[in-house]
Amino acid sequence: MARWQQLTLREQRIVIALGIVLGIYVLYSFVWQPVQSNLVKTQQKLSRQQELLTWVSKNTARYQQAKKTGNVSNSGGSLSSIVNRSARNKGITVTRMQPQNDDIQVWIDEIPFNTLLQWLEQLSSNEGLHVKAIDMTTTDKLGVVRIRRLQLGRS
């Protein structure tokens, strides 16, 4: 307090103004800006989740309707030709294929996991094939798997 008393009126006003500016800066930097940043991120995440929900709802209804009416579009041909054609369209190299009664077994050396999921979804929704069994392992590459055995069959 004694130090404050020694300052002139002009110096006291400068210290008060500096304190107010510093207080505003601290409030903005440590409170307002992080809250705003998190609000924007949360709104973007909510928007993406709503888009995903809409897509899932639309495609679930479409799949259920197709399943109910039996309109899952089998484009014709043997299982091996369907698997070959769809794999070629996705850029997937099938190492080996072997018919197994009414099913087909497929081996793939390396495939990105996301590509595998997209391919299996396409086979299910467009060709009426579904996965009966799958045996896969990871590889040295991140996000890439090796399919030891994939058994596909008609729905």
Side-chain angles (χ1 to χ4, degrees), residues 38 52 67 94 125:
N38 285 337
L52 178 62
K67 188 175 177 181
V94 174
S125 62

Side-chain angles (χ1 to χ4, degrees), residues 13-153:
R13 287 182 182 160
I14 290 174
V15 170
I16 290 172
L18 182 60
I20 292 172
V21 168
L22 184 63
I24 291 172
Y25 173 76
V26 167
L27 281 174
Y28 177 78
S29 296
F30 296 109
V31 177
W32 183 259
Q33 196 270 336
V35 168
Q36 282 298 104
S37 177
N38 285 337
L39 181 63
V40 168
K41 288 178 186 176
T42 303
Q43 287 172 339
Q44 290 171 345
K45 185 177 178 181
L46 176 63
S47 175
R48 287 191 309 269
Q49 293 296 327
Q50 287 173 334
E51 289 173 9
L52 178 62
L53 176 62
T54 303
W55 182 86
V56 168
S57 298
K58 182 180 90 175
N59 286 313
T60 301
R62 190 178 82 200
Y63 176 75
Q64 292 296 336
Q65 182 63 28
K67 188 175 177 181
K68 205 180 288 183
T69 60
N71 272 348
V72 177
S73 64
N74 291 326
S75 55
S78 66
L79 288 177
S80 61
S81 65
I82 292 171
V83 170
N84 271 329
R85 182 180 60 250
S86 64
R88 189 173 43 251
N89 289 342
K90 282 281 186 191
I92 299 170
T93 304
V94 174
T95 307
R96 179 176 158 208
M97 251 191 285
Q98 179 178 342
Q100 183 92 13
N101 299 328
D102 293 336
D103 301 336
I104 190 163
Q105 291 187 357
V106 179
W107 287 261
I108 302 171
D109 278 339
E110 289 186 347
I111 182 172
F113 186 71
N114 290 339
T115 304
L116 173 66
L117 292 180
Q118 292 169 355
W119 181 52
L120 293 177
E121 192 276 330
Q122 176 191 356
L123 286 173
S124 175
S125 62
N126 296 343
E127 308 296 342
L129 299 179
H130 66 277
V131 176
K132 290 192 172 180
I134 188 167
D135 181 13
M136 72 175 95
T137 61
T138 59
T139 63
D140 294 336
K141 298 177 187 172
L142 186 64
V144 177
V145 295
R146 175 175 293 114
I147 305 299
R148 292 181 181 167
R149 182 178 68 95
L150 169 63
Q151 186 170 347
L152 298 168

